[in-house]
Amino acid sequence: MKNIFKRIIVSILTFEAKLLIKRMKPQIIAITGSVGKTSIKDAVYDVFKNRMHVRKSEKSFNSELGVPLSVLGLPNAWSNPLMWLRNIIDGAMLVMHPGKYPELLILEMGVDRPGDMDKLTAWIKPDVVVLTRLPDVPVHVEFFDSPESVIKEKEKLVHALKPEGVLVFNQDDPRAAHIASETRQQSIGYSRYSLSPFTASADRIVYENGNIVGFEFMLTHVDRAVLCHVQGTVGVQHAYNHAAAAAVASVFQIDIEAVAEALRDHVPPPGRMRLIQGLKDTLIIDDTYNSSPAASEQSLKTLGEIKGVKRRIAVLGDMMELGQFSTREHERIGTLVPRSADKLVTIGVRARGFSAGALRAGMDEKHMLEFPDALTAGRELQTLIKPGDVLLVKGSQSIRAERFVEELMAEPEKAEELLVRQDPVWKRK
């Protein structure tokens, strides 16, 4: 019954959203890929928000339900039937009386299962598609025949571009570059490790008085370059976010100087490598939004680049939805831990594979701790952390690693402001 109810709701809201787009004809920027969709979406939004009436997908509303909600500007009603009925009524009213509707929609579009992108592209025809990284083992591969099948599903969004549409793609990613080479539409690359129309380079962690305060890099387009700063976070992924936003902006004749200015106060979403002060004068790198092999690899690399700290502690929770690749990928990521961390803390059953990999790569077992859940791990670590420690905390959504961060953050009263999944529905789960 629950599934039938959901299908009815999705069908009605999709129909309403389709009618609204047909009537109002907003320009659409659609973002897909396996890494970085939400962060790029937020960076692109910050570039445009003061230039025109624009709307972005809230949080990670990127599914067959989330996308129509974003188009209609309606909230997730979760399991409340009356709120869903209210959404349907509000959606119908909006179609009839749209008022001042956004000129530009920035939509995150993801896939969980085969056919998901078909459902979205049946009624979404973007003006710009942003294709992020497509790693060897993408998240959500569990429900597909192979990693290549996931990529093919996401690629359908590129094929849905309007004839005059533009593809913006991660030029460092060979799969994204191959897709771009085969598209008939205009394509614009962005990169960090190769030369592209929008290249980030010379990225570095910024310190003040010995404390990490953020991240900076150069962004270059042809013969023009600007220095970009991102406060309160670290990681090369932010260089990619800015470069992608600049590439999208160029489609609308916005130059990189204006992009850098628009993103001067940009703050990445919670749970994306955000810097949070911890108990006992420690520092937490909060990367708890979600986890995948590619993202975990990059986060560990960033942890290893941090200087002048007492100990680097990697706190890694289960990576979900990897299907047949789960054991292999947990152990492979575990082999990377000794290069970046002095201690390893795992959360969850699958995460024990991290320990097996780290042990194989030479980490002493005495530097490893395993816990069944995030709360237990957080409470135990309170007695083990020391001043000067830096903790990288990462795990898939269902591990709820933000609970670990809340146990160790110096100001837990700011959890609602700083952490992911703090709304009442999530807090009850």
Side-chain angles (χ1 to χ4, degrees):
M1 181 62 72
K2 186 176 180 180
N3 287 336
I4 294 173
F5 178 73
K6 180 182 177 180
R7 285 199 295 272
I8 294 171
I9 295 296
V10 168
S11 296
I12 296 172
L13 291 176
T14 298
F15 178 69
E16 292 175 343
K18 181 179 179 179
L19 289 178
L20 188 60
I21 285 179
K22 186 175 181 179
R23 178 176 181 182
M24 303 309 297
K25 297 180 174 56
Q27 291 184 288
I28 297 174
I29 299 170
I31 303 169
T32 196
S34 294
V35 180
K37 293 187 295 296
T38 302
S39 296
I40 288 177
K41 174 203 69 184
D42 285 356
V44 171
Y45 174 79
D46 278 357
V47 170
F48 286 93
K49 66 181 181 182
N50 294 323
R51 292 177 171 271
M52 61 177 70
H53 189 194
V54 58
R55 175 185 294 159
K56 65 175 180 176
S57 302
E58 288 301 316
K59 300 179 181 178
S60 293
F61 280 16
N62 62 20
S63 65
E64 63 172 341
L65 178 58
V67 173
L69 286 176
S70 298
V71 170
L72 295 165
L74 298 173
N76 189 339
W78 296 98
S79 56
N80 188 324
L82 292 179
M83 285 186 65
W84 283 118
L85 179 60
R86 172 72 181 271
N87 273 349
I88 289 172
I89 295 171
D90 288 347
M93 293 299 294
L94 184 62
V95 171
M96 292 185 288
H97 306 286
K100 185 173 171 53
Y101 191 74
E103 305 163 71
L104 178 66
L105 298 177
I106 304 171
L107 304 177
E108 182 178 334
M109 297 174 66
V111 300
D112 290 328
R113 289 171 170 78
D116 281 355
M117 193 61 80
D118 289 314
K119 296 172 185 174
L120 295 173
T121 56
W123 60 282
I124 295 283
K125 304 300 178 185
D127 297 273
V128 179
V129 166
V130 182
L131 187 59
T132 73
R133 189 176 171 189
L134 300 169
D136 291 339
V137 182
V139 71
H140 304 311
V141 70
E142 180 178 12
F143 301 107
F144 288 83
D145 293 335
S146 66
E148 291 73 23
S149 299
V150 181
I151 294 168
K152 287 293 184 184
E153 190 69 23
K154 293 177 184 291
E155 186 181 351
K156 292 173 182 177
L157 184 60
V158 178
H159 300 318
L161 269 168
K162 292 177 180 176
E164 68 281 9
V166 179
L167 170 63
V168 171
F169 68 101
N170 184 334
Q171 193 165 307
D172 286 340
D173 187 282
R175 295 175 181 85
H178 176 72
I179 291 170
S181 71
E182 295 193 327
T183 186
R184 294 180 179 179
Q185 282 92 341
Q186 178 188 357
S187 61
I188 303 172
Y190 66 91
S191 65
R192 164 59 184 88
Y193 298 106
S194 62
L195 184 61
S196 70
F198 293 88
T199 305
S201 63
D203 54 87
R204 70 181 189 93
I205 297 170
V206 179
Y207 302 82
E208 288 183 6
N209 301 319
N211 298 315
I212 304 170
V213 295
F215 191 75
E216 69 178 21
F217 52 91
M218 295 298 300
L219 179 60
T220 304
H221 174 57
V222 192
D223 58 350
R224 302 160 74 179
V226 292
L227 182 63
C228 298
H229 306 268
V230 192
Q231 296 296 313
T233 186
V234 290
V236 73
Q237 51 267 58
H238 302 303
Y240 280 111
N241 299 341
H242 279 54
V248 172
S250 72
V251 179
F252 296 80
Q253 287 74 55
I254 302 172
D255 60 36
I256 61 169
E257 290 84 1
V259 170
E261 178 61 25
L263 294 176
R264 185 170 57 85
D265 299 319
H266 173 71
V267 178
R272 275 82 164 188
M273 299 295 283
R274 293 276 290 271
L275 302 175
I276 296 178
Q277 292 303 310
L279 297 171
K280 299 182 181 179
D281 196 26
T282 59
L283 179 67
I284 300 169
I285 303 175
D286 176 16
D287 202 25
T288 56
Y289 170 71
N290 211 343
S291 189
S292 67
S296 297
E297 188 172 345
Q298 185 59 63
S299 299
L300 283 169
K301 182 180 178 184
T302 299
L303 177 65
E305 293 171 351
I306 294 174
K307 302 173 183 177
V309 298
K310 189 175 185 67
R311 296 181 301 181
R312 299 177 186 85
I313 302 174
V315 183
L316 305 178
D318 290 355
M319 299 185 296
M320 307 299 287
E321 298 181 310
L322 296 179
Q324 62 179 313
F325 301 97
S326 182
T327 300
R328 186 192 81 184
E329 288 302 299
H330 280 87
E331 292 185 3
R332 183 183 70 82
I333 295 299
T335 64
L336 307 178
V337 171
R339 307 178 198 172
S340 302
D342 304 295
K343 284 188 173 293
L344 170 63
V345 176
T346 66
I347 303 172
V349 175
R350 295 169 182 82
R352 293 172 186 168
F354 294 131
S355 299
L359 190 65
R360 193 167 73 242
M363 178 173 270
D364 195 313
E365 195 171 4
K366 68 182 181 182
H367 296 309
M368 303 179 199
L369 294 169
E370 296 179 346
F371 295 97
D373 61 80
L375 272 177
T376 302
R379 290 165 182 167
E380 288 292 328
L381 262 289
Q382 288 181 10
T383 62
L384 299 176
I385 56 175
K386 300 177 182 179
D389 287 348
V390 173
L391 298 87
L392 167 69
V393 188
K394 189 164 186 63
S396 282
Q397 180 173 273
S398 60
I399 289 299
R400 305 298 303 280
E402 74 275 6
R403 291 172 171 167
F404 175 95
V405 177
E406 188 171 1
E407 289 295 318
L408 271 77
M409 62 194 298
E411 300 176 288
E413 66 273 12
K414 293 185 177 180
E416 187 172 344
E417 171 191 350
L418 299 177
L419 305 186
V420 294
R421 294 180 285 272
Q422 295 301 297
D423 56 74
V425 175
W426 273 111
K427 295 288 277 186
R428 288 194 295 269
K429 289 187 178 182

